[in-house]
PDB file of all heavy atoms in Angstrom:
ATOM      1  N   GLY K 126     -17.281  44.632 -39.924  1.00 91.00           N
ATOM      2  CA  GLY K 126     -17.125  43.303 -39.331  1.00 91.00           C
ATOM      3  C   GLY K 126     -15.941  42.514 -39.850  1.00 91.00           C
ATOM      4  O   GLY K 126     -15.832  41.321 -39.589  1.00 91.00           O
ATOM      5  N   THR K 127     -15.039  43.172 -40.595  1.00 95.00           N
ATOM      6  CA  THR K 127     -13.863  42.467 -41.095  1.00 95.00           C
ATOM      7  C   THR K 127     -12.935  42.106 -39.934  1.00 95.00           C
ATOM      8  O   THR K 127     -12.814  42.868 -38.971  1.00 95.00           O
ATOM      9  CB  THR K 127     -13.088  43.324 -42.113  1.00 95.00           C
ATOM     10  OG1 THR K 127     -12.692  44.535 -41.480  1.00 95.00           O
ATOM     11  CG2 THR K 127     -13.929  43.625 -43.337  1.00 95.00           C
ATOM     12  N   VAL K 128     -12.308  40.955 -40.022  1.00 96.00           N
ATOM     13  CA  VAL K 128     -11.390  40.503 -38.973  1.00 96.00           C
ATOM     14  C   VAL K 128     -10.027  41.143 -39.224  1.00 96.00           C
ATOM     15  O   VAL K 128      -9.385  40.891 -40.241  1.00 96.00           O
ATOM     16  CB  VAL K 128     -11.287  38.963 -38.949  1.00 96.00           C
ATOM     17  CG1 VAL K 128     -10.266  38.515 -37.913  1.00 96.00           C
ATOM     18  CG2 VAL K 128     -12.649  38.343 -38.670  1.00 96.00           C
ATOM     19  N   ARG K 129      -9.587  41.995 -38.284  1.00 95.00           N
ATOM     20  CA  ARG K 129      -8.296  42.678 -38.390  1.00 95.00           C
ATOM     21  C   ARG K 129      -7.163  41.833 -37.823  1.00 95.00           C
ATOM     22  O   ARG K 129      -6.041  41.902 -38.284  1.00 95.00           O
ATOM     23  CB  ARG K 129      -8.316  44.010 -37.640  1.00 95.00           C
ATOM     24  CG  ARG K 129      -9.257  45.042 -38.183  1.00 95.00           C
ATOM     25  CD  ARG K 129      -9.141  46.371 -37.424  1.00 95.00           C
ATOM     26  NE  ARG K 129      -9.329  46.231 -35.977  1.00 95.00           N
ATOM     27  CZ  ARG K 129      -8.375  46.410 -35.053  1.00 95.00           C
ATOM     28  NH1 ARG K 129      -7.163  46.743 -35.407  1.00 95.00           N
ATOM     29  NH2 ARG K 129      -8.638  46.265 -33.772  1.00 95.00           N
ATOM     30  N   LEU K 130      -7.480  41.067 -36.769  1.00 94.00           N
ATOM     31  CA  LEU K 130      -6.459  40.316 -36.042  1.00 94.00           C
ATOM     32  C   LEU K 130      -7.142  39.184 -35.299  1.00 94.00           C
ATOM     33  O   LEU K 130      -8.273  39.345 -34.826  1.00 94.00           O
ATOM     34  CB  LEU K 130      -5.764  41.252 -35.050  1.00 94.00           C
ATOM     35  CG  LEU K 130      -4.681  40.679 -34.157  1.00 94.00           C
ATOM     36  CD1 LEU K 130      -3.444  40.344 -34.993  1.00 94.00           C
ATOM     37  CD2 LEU K 130      -4.316  41.694 -33.083  1.00 94.00           C
ATOM     38  N   ARG K 131      -6.457  38.040 -35.185  1.00 96.00           N
ATOM     39  CA  ARG K 131      -6.986  36.896 -34.426  1.00 96.00           C
ATOM     40  C   ARG K 131      -5.995  36.531 -33.333  1.00 96.00           C
ATOM     41  O   ARG K 131      -4.805  36.409 -33.602  1.00 96.00           O
ATOM     42  CB  ARG K 131      -7.184  35.681 -35.330  1.00 96.00           C
ATOM     43  CG  ARG K 131      -8.255  35.877 -36.377  1.00 96.00           C
ATOM     44  CD  ARG K 131      -8.434  34.626 -37.237  1.00 96.00           C
ATOM     45  NE  ARG K 131      -9.429  33.782 -36.595  1.00 96.00           N
ATOM     46  CZ  ARG K 131      -9.242  32.516 -36.250  1.00 96.00           C
ATOM     47  NH1 ARG K 131      -8.110  31.915 -36.483  1.00 96.00           N
ATOM     48  NH2 ARG K 131     -10.214  31.828 -35.680  1.00 96.00           N
ATOM     49  N   ALA K 132      -6.496  36.363 -32.124  1.00 95.00           N
ATOM     50  CA  ALA K 132      -5.686  35.859 -31.018  1.00 95.00           C
ATOM     51  C   ALA K 132      -6.088  34.411 -30.793  1.00 95.00           C
ATOM     52  O   ALA K 132      -7.254  34.115 -30.520  1.00 95.00           O
ATOM     53  CB  ALA K 132      -5.922  36.686 -29.757  1.00 95.00           C
ATOM     54  N   THR K 133      -5.125  33.524 -30.946  1.00 96.00           N
ATOM     55  CA  THR K 133      -5.349  32.090 -30.795  1.00 96.00           C
ATOM     56  C   THR K 133      -4.301  31.521 -29.847  1.00 96.00           C
ATOM     57  O   THR K 133      -3.343  32.216 -29.480  1.00 96.00           O
ATOM     58  CB  THR K 133      -5.213  31.364 -32.147  1.00 96.00           C
ATOM     59  OG1 THR K 133      -3.853  31.495 -32.590  1.00 96.00           O
ATOM     60  CG2 THR K 133      -6.162  31.946 -33.196  1.00 96.00           C
ATOM     61  N   ALA K 134      -4.451  30.272 -29.476  1.00 95.00           N
ATOM     62  CA  ALA K 134      -3.428  29.623 -28.657  1.00 95.00           C
ATOM     63  C   ALA K 134      -2.077  29.703 -29.370  1.00 95.00           C
ATOM     64  O   ALA K 134      -1.050  30.002 -28.749  1.00 95.00           O
ATOM     65  CB  ALA K 134      -3.806  28.171 -28.382  1.00 95.00           C
ATOM     66  N   GLN K 135      -2.085  29.487 -30.662  1.00 95.00           N
ATOM     67  CA  GLN K 135      -0.843  29.506 -31.436  1.00 95.00           C
ATOM     68  C   GLN K 135      -0.214  30.901 -31.450  1.00 95.00           C
ATOM     69  O   GLN K 135       0.992  31.053 -31.239  1.00 95.00           O
ATOM     70  CB  GLN K 135      -1.122  29.023 -32.862  1.00 95.00           C
ATOM     71  CG  GLN K 135       0.109  28.824 -33.686  1.00 95.00           C
ATOM     72  CD  GLN K 135      -0.227  28.219 -35.049  1.00 95.00           C
ATOM     73  OE1 GLN K 135      -1.299  28.436 -35.595  1.00 95.00           O
ATOM     74  NE2 GLN K 135       0.708  27.466 -35.574  1.00 95.00           N
ATOM     75  N   SER K 136      -1.016  31.943 -31.671  1.00 95.00           N
ATOM     76  CA  SER K 136      -0.452  33.299 -31.719  1.00 95.00           C
ATOM     77  C   SER K 136       0.009  33.752 -30.333  1.00 95.00           C
ATOM     78  O   SER K 136       1.043  34.418 -30.207  1.00 95.00           O
ATOM     79  CB  SER K 136      -1.461  34.296 -32.293  1.00 95.00           C
ATOM     80  OG  SER K 136      -2.547  34.505 -31.416  1.00 95.00           O
ATOM     81  N   GLN K 137      -0.729  33.374 -29.291  1.00 95.00           N
ATOM     82  CA  GLN K 137      -0.346  33.750 -27.926  1.00 95.00           C
ATOM     83  C   GLN K 137       0.938  33.025 -27.510  1.00 95.00           C
ATOM     84  O   GLN K 137       1.803  33.612 -26.868  1.00 95.00           O
ATOM     85  CB  GLN K 137      -1.473  33.450 -26.946  1.00 95.00           C
ATOM     86  CG  GLN K 137      -2.756  34.239 -27.207  1.00 95.00           C
ATOM     87  CD  GLN K 137      -2.571  35.732 -27.094  1.00 95.00           C
ATOM     88  OE1 GLN K 137      -2.339  36.422 -28.074  1.00 95.00           O
ATOM     89  NE2 GLN K 137      -2.668  36.236 -25.891  1.00 95.00           N
ATOM     90  N   ARG K 138       1.056  31.754 -27.883  1.00 94.00           N
ATOM     91  CA  ARG K 138       2.278  30.996 -27.574  1.00 94.00           C
ATOM     92  C   ARG K 138       3.464  31.597 -28.305  1.00 94.00           C
ATOM     93  O   ARG K 138       4.546  31.761 -27.745  1.00 94.00           O
ATOM     94  CB  ARG K 138       2.118  29.517 -27.926  1.00 94.00           C
ATOM     95  CG  ARG K 138       3.374  28.710 -27.584  1.00 94.00           C
ATOM     96  CD  ARG K 138       3.255  27.205 -27.839  1.00 94.00           C
ATOM     97  NE  ARG K 138       2.540  26.868 -29.030  1.00 94.00           N
ATOM     98  CZ  ARG K 138       1.350  26.248 -29.051  1.00 94.00           C
ATOM     99  NH1 ARG K 138       0.769  25.902 -27.933  1.00 94.00           N
ATOM    100  NH2 ARG K 138       0.770  25.971 -30.189  1.00 94.00           N
ATOM    101  N   ALA K 139       3.287  31.976 -29.565  1.00 95.00           N
ATOM    102  CA  ALA K 139       4.372  32.584 -30.349  1.00 95.00           C
ATOM    103  C   ALA K 139       4.823  33.897 -29.702  1.00 95.00           C
ATOM    104  O   ALA K 139       6.032  34.171 -29.624  1.00 95.00           O
ATOM    105  CB  ALA K 139       3.929  32.812 -31.789  1.00 95.00           C
ATOM    106  N   ALA K 140       3.891  34.698 -29.230  1.00 95.00           N
ATOM    107  CA  ALA K 140       4.236  35.968 -28.573  1.00 95.00           C
ATOM    108  C   ALA K 140       5.018  35.708 -27.284  1.00 95.00           C
ATOM    109  O   ALA K 140       6.004  36.400 -26.989  1.00 95.00           O
ATOM    110  CB  ALA K 140       2.982  36.777 -28.286  1.00 95.00           C
ATOM    111  N   TYR K 141       4.599  34.710 -26.524  1.00 95.00           N
ATOM    112  CA  TYR K 141       5.295  34.342 -25.283  1.00 95.00           C
ATOM    113  C   TYR K 141       6.719  33.881 -25.591  1.00 95.00           C
ATOM    114  O   TYR K 141       7.685  34.341 -24.965  1.00 95.00           O
ATOM    115  CB  TYR K 141       4.507  33.243 -24.566  1.00 95.00           C
ATOM    116  CG  TYR K 141       5.263  32.542 -23.465  1.00 95.00           C
ATOM    117  CD1 TYR K 141       5.687  33.226 -22.329  1.00 95.00           C
ATOM    118  CD2 TYR K 141       5.552  31.185 -23.554  1.00 95.00           C
ATOM    119  CE1 TYR K 141       6.386  32.580 -21.328  1.00 95.00           C
ATOM    120  CE2 TYR K 141       6.236  30.532 -22.552  1.00 95.00           C
ATOM    121  CZ  TYR K 141       6.660  31.233 -21.442  1.00 95.00           C
ATOM    122  OH  TYR K 141       7.348  30.589 -20.447  1.00 95.00           O
TER     123      TYR K 141
END
Side-chain angles (χ1 to χ4, degrees):
T127 59
V128 176
R129 295 184 305 112
L130 179 70
R131 294 181 89 235
T133 65
Q135 188 175 30
S136 69
Q137 297 298 95
R138 181 177 39 247
Y141 166 64

